[in-house]
Amino acid sequence: MKLPLSIRPFHPNDRENVLRLFKEVFGSTLTPEWWEWQFIRNPFNRPIIWIAETESNRVVGHYSLIPVPFWRNGQAQKAGFSIHSMVHPDFQRQGILNRLAEAAEKQLAEDGIDTGLTFLNENSYYLYTHKLGWTEMQGTLPVYFSVLDSTDIIKKILKLDTLTKSVSLLLNPLLKGIFSRNKSSQPPGTIRVIDKFDERVDRLWQRIRKSLTYATDRNSKYLN
């Protein structure tokens, strides 16, 4: 049964309800500090967060984008990175996410943001590409990784906890040797911790971005 819902921009008082919904939907915890950093304290645009709420003031849907500086075809722009889209399991398949996305798109137009970005998984791919009209970017994307612990990989294959532990104990030392860093290929110079990026990273970025068609604009303001 579809219940009456209101679609509205977020209010600061919604934070705890959003964090609770995140845990109910994804089973993991999003800290208040992290949420504030991503959205409320974002220096590039006002927050883009839309809420679905029942008549009893229960938050059951959430759609948000993180505003980021963006480099597109040689021009500096703004983009919205879609993240934490969610609808409570009891309210799914009612078109709630579509309504939230439509409201967010109107705000994006008002704010002069015409590019949306996201990374999709198997659960969200169909929704974004068939329902919300997003387009998959074609092309090869290199993936670099290092296996630190094989336990989760083996568990997906064997599906037995006891056997998984035994196999991982044998396999982990081998993987450590395979994925160990080649000390002879260390780059020249020094690596050190810094407190703030300065104009040197801007000069580096200006050289690098000439070869890119699409990229988050990694200038010193963004990195800081």
Side-chain angles (χ1 to χ4, degrees):
M1 181 180 65
K2 293 185 178 181
L3 300 175
L5 293 170
S6 62
I7 304 296
R8 61 170 178 79
F10 94 106
H11 185 275
N13 293 337
D14 294 322
R15 187 184 70 177
E16 295 306 318
N17 289 327
V18 169
L19 298 180
R20 185 180 300 109
L21 178 64
F22 184 90
K23 187 172 184 179
E24 291 172 341
V25 173
F26 298 113
S28 56
T29 301
L30 184 67
T31 66
E33 295 78 14
W34 185 257
W35 188 81
E36 291 271 349
W37 174 76
Q38 286 182 316
F39 299 107
I40 311 305
R41 288 163 36 213
N42 188 301
F44 299 106
N45 201 79
R46 60 175 172 158
I48 307 171
I49 309 172
W50 287 81
I51 299 294
E53 184 180 54
T54 67
E55 289 183 321
S56 59
N57 303 121
R58 179 186 177 188
V59 173
V60 297
H62 174 272
Y63 189 93
S64 58
L65 299 100
I66 300 175
V68 294
F70 195 65
W71 182 257
R72 178 178 181 180
N73 296 322
Q75 298 293 324
Q77 302 179 354
K78 284 190 294 186
F81 186 78
S82 178
I83 189 171
H84 303 333
S85 300
M86 51 188 169
V87 174
H88 192 279
D90 294 343
F91 293 82
Q92 293 177 2
R93 300 185 183 277
Q94 297 184 25
I96 294 175
L97 205 60
N98 294 50
R99 294 171 60 189
L100 288 167
E102 289 174 0
E105 286 173 5
K106 291 180 181 178
Q107 181 183 338
L108 291 173
E110 292 174 1
D111 294 355
I113 302 175
D114 60 1
T115 301
L117 309 165
T118 192
F119 291 97
L120 302 177
N121 55 32
E122 293 181 357
N123 295 328
S124 56
Y125 179 83
Y126 181 85
L127 172 66
Y128 271 79
T129 57
H130 289 75
K131 299 293 184 180
L132 303 182
W134 290 54
T135 302
E136 181 180 10
M137 295 180 69
Q138 301 295 325
T140 57
L141 180 66
V143 177
Y144 301 93
F145 65 93
S146 175
V147 178
L148 303 178
D149 188 342
S150 64
T151 304
D152 288 339
I153 301 173
I154 297 171
K155 187 175 181 179
K156 288 183 178 180
I157 299 172
L158 300 180
K159 303 184 185 306
L160 291 172
D161 290 340
T162 53
L163 189 57
T164 294
K165 292 179 181 179
S166 301
V167 175
S168 63
L169 284 174
L170 296 173
L171 191 57
N172 282 343
L174 176 63
L175 292 174
K176 186 177 180 180
I178 294 174
F179 290 99
S180 63
R181 280 186 279 180
N182 185 353
K183 295 182 180 180
S184 63
S185 63
Q186 292 298 315
T190 58
I191 297 175
R192 60 187 176 87
V193 176
I194 62 173
D195 296 321
K196 188 175 183 180
F197 292 97
D198 56 28
E199 69 278 356
R200 291 173 295 175
V201 77
D202 290 325
R203 291 196 295 267
L204 174 63
W205 171 242
Q206 287 173 6
R207 295 199 302 270
I208 293 174
R209 71 184 187 185
K210 294 177 182 178
S211 63
L212 304 174
T213 304
Y214 304 104
T216 303
D217 198 358
R218 289 176 169 82
N219 53 30
S220 58
K221 180 182 178 181
Y222 173 75
L223 294 174
N224 286 327

